Amino acid sequence: MKVSIITRHAITNYGSLLQAFALQTVIENLGYDVEIIDYIRHDEDYKNITDVLVKKSLKWNSNSITRFLYKSIQSPEYKLMGKAFKRYRKQYLKLTNNYCSIKELEKNPPIADIYCTGSDQVWGTIGEDIYDKVYFLDFVQNDKKCISYAASFGKSKIDENFKNMLKGSLKKYDELLVREDSALQILQSLNFKNSSQVLDPTLLLNNEQWDKYIGSKKINKDYVLIYQLHRNNKMDKYSKMFSKKTGLQLIRMTPSLHHIVRGGKVVFLPNIIDFLSYIKNAKYVITDSFHGTAFAINYNVQFIDIHPGETATRNQSILELTGLKNRMLANYNDFSYIDKMIDYKKVNEILTVERVKSINLLKESLIK
């Protein structure tokens, strides 16, 4: 049987690509033919990102000169990132033909026995701040089997208009498997009894499986790794001071060239093997990324989680599940994590149980 997955696989973000790869791999291991629907919205295509971002900026969208300057500075970087991630997607994902709109999907949908809304913030605001019906499988005929796996709203509270939309849009789903406890609470408040919480796909594969499927290399030095997605001057300063106090080199891993001014030796736009290897071999990881946190946990690395703002529910949920809420930094003057080691024996026991539970829920949702 064939499974088609719709997810946000095409963002220039390592976690987005790797969660798609992980779900693809796990469903394949369950005996299915799997493909990722290569849906890339116009406002998320790397060729158009600067046009979208400049419109959101009061500073840069004030006149034609500032708009030109912004695009001239940012476009080369986004094109470089976009082309690299396009190569990674072709290397690791089994993709359908490309689609840019729901009309294209409705006209010529990928043929499958089961359609799955995959992981990440697929049910949150996207691009130009809209909810995209594609991720609610509106292009799929009503007689087809529909499920979700580790879908996320990206936040813990949603407005009433969106709640009303959800009541209609999610009726077609046979099973609703979501990533955060907050997402489960939202669905249960709307009386969706066919809902359960599961692990992010990246955690369905243990560290040995990641080494098997992607590969790994040894980095023969001790270092503090910072993997940062959001602008945060306090995080920059904390990381530099943390590095100084440990006496270890600070390495900043990033796909964004302009991050070179934030401190640390920059590893720019690493390939997928290097991305995972730098996390795996780090003495400490400092991150505001959900998937940075997830891989640090999976590789049993000491880490400090920085609050990423309104999307913090993702990080909080996995820390709560694994008993690691104390790894969320509460004070930028707290450097006790240098000596405060994580007991990964207990964490791994929790992950093993949750991994089996999540895979079983996925398996049951596919065969029901």
Side-chain angles (χ1 to χ4, degrees), residues 210-237:
W210 277 111
D211 288 349
K212 172 186 174 183
Y213 291 122
I214 298 295
S216 176
K217 70 180 187 182
K218 180 66 178 174
I219 301 171
N220 293 311
K221 58 183 174 182
D222 289 336
Y223 55 91
V224 177
L225 179 71
I226 178 170
Y227 177 52
Q228 180 178 2
L229 299 184
H230 305 89
R231 184 184 296 276
N232 184 339
N233 292 333
K234 291 182 178 179
M235 181 178 178
D236 297 334
K237 292 176 183 177

Side-chain angles (χ1 to χ4, degrees), residues 300 302 322 342-352:
N300 288 192
Q302 305 301 317
T322 52
I342 298 169
D343 176 9
Y344 268 111
K345 183 177 184 297
K346 183 178 180 181
V347 173
N348 290 334
E349 288 172 354
I350 294 170
L351 268 185
T352 298

